Amino acid sequence: MTRPPTNTIVDAHLHVWDPARGVYPWLGPALAPVNRTMALPEVLPELGSHGVGAVVLVQSADSDFDTDLMFETARSHRQVVGVVGWVPLDQPVAAAERLARLRDEPLFAGVRNLIHEQPDPQWILRRDVDAGLDLLEQDGVPFDFVAAGPLALATAAEVARRHPGLRLILDHLGAPPLDTEPGQAQPWLRSLAVLAGHPQVYVKISGLYLRSDSDGNGMRRARAYIGEALELFGPRRMMYGGDWPICLLHEPYGRTLDIIRHGLPDLADADRDHILAGTATRAYRIDPQRLASATA
């Protein structure tokens, strides 16, 4: 695949949603700033000001309507270069039928389920879900894995062991404990090291919320966590994600990008290009012509 032009930035983790179109069970008054329609035009000025030329839209609800909304958004905005949608992994027959339709969409880039919202933390390891993951592995479809702590990372490692051919993309750096010094976060680091041993596992640098960080310690710890992941995975298996609009619950858009740009000053330009665009382009098999059009 053609490499993206130098200085291209792909935000590999951005959401849109519309509560008028369907139900988002996790959304409600407690999340008031984003408890409304969040459409791509709202964030386009921020993307432009941070030099982000292309985005991958990632699912927000375990329903077809959410995936359909993302494709509608993509048809109206050239900045969208990929869509990570939803299929019912626990219903393999229905999942196969939905995958067949999604493959007709040129921008279909992968699948995600809100596994962190499931009552059963081991849901992803159930036999019926495992059969759904078999479909993704056989079809070469990436799977975004939402991790919410060390137990989830261990579960992700088991998924990678069962499905060595599945391109598994770990969201939000595997949720490192940012309020803890990296040297004390051994469960996170051990699980991440196990995942790094599976060559088809990738990591998104996303969801690293520092909030006010008045003393700069949050930024320092975030840099250290990214550095630990970089040692394990290398830049060719790491990608940037801004996590808009969830990020607005904590801080303005672009803080994670600032960590990458300014927090890793010793990173070679080519390695930084991998993290900011190249890895996402390869992992999601983004069409180079669509990417060129988005960033023209």
Side-chain angles (χ1 to χ4, degrees), residues 6 108 133 155 194 226 271 275 277 294:
T6 302
F108 176 53
L133 291 173
T155 302
V194 172
I226 294 173
D271 290 342
I275 293 173

Side-chain angles (χ1 to χ4, degrees), residues 74-245:
R75 285 189 278 273
S76 303
H77 298 90
R78 61 180 175 80
Q79 294 90 347
V80 180
V81 296
V83 170
V84 176
W86 173 82
V87 300
L89 292 176
D90 57 349
Q91 303 172 50
V93 174
E97 293 173 352
R98 180 62 169 165
L99 276 173
R101 292 194 295 273
L102 290 175
R103 280 195 295 270
D104 291 334
E105 294 280 358
L107 297 185
F108 176 53
V111 164
R112 188 174 89 146
N113 287 52
L114 299 184
I115 57 177
H116 60 307
E117 297 288 334
Q118 292 287 343
D120 178 5
Q122 300 293 294
W123 178 86
I124 194 72
L125 300 180
R126 282 179 10 185
R127 183 175 297 179
D128 52 355
V129 182
D130 203 60
L133 291 173
D134 277 338
L135 295 173
L136 303 186
E137 184 177 15
Q138 293 163 12
D139 285 0
V141 177
F143 180 67
D144 266 53
F145 190 103
V146 190
L151 178 59
L153 286 182
T155 302
E158 176 60 15
V159 170
R161 186 193 68 79
R162 292 184 184 185
H163 301 276
L166 176 65
R167 202 172 317 123
L168 192 150
I169 299 173
L170 184 66
D171 291 347
H172 309 326
L173 205 64
L178 285 174
D179 57 349
T180 302
E181 291 297 330
Q184 300 171 338
Q186 289 306 308
W188 172 83
L189 185 58
R190 284 195 297 268
S191 294
L192 206 67
V194 172
L195 282 164
H198 297 275
Q200 289 296 319
V201 177
Y202 296 75
V203 174
K204 281 185 186 176
I205 308 174
S206 59
L208 303 181
Y209 304 127
L210 308 181
R211 300 174 177 85
S212 61
D213 193 31
S214 58
D215 59 5
N217 283 330
M219 179 71 80
R220 176 182 57 79
R221 287 193 292 267
R223 287 199 303 264
Y225 280 116
I226 294 173
E228 295 277 14
L230 193 58
E231 284 289 325
L232 292 169
F233 286 87
R236 295 182 64 89
R237 292 166 64 194
M238 300 181 73
M239 66 185 81
Y240 160 66
D243 201 25
W244 185 91

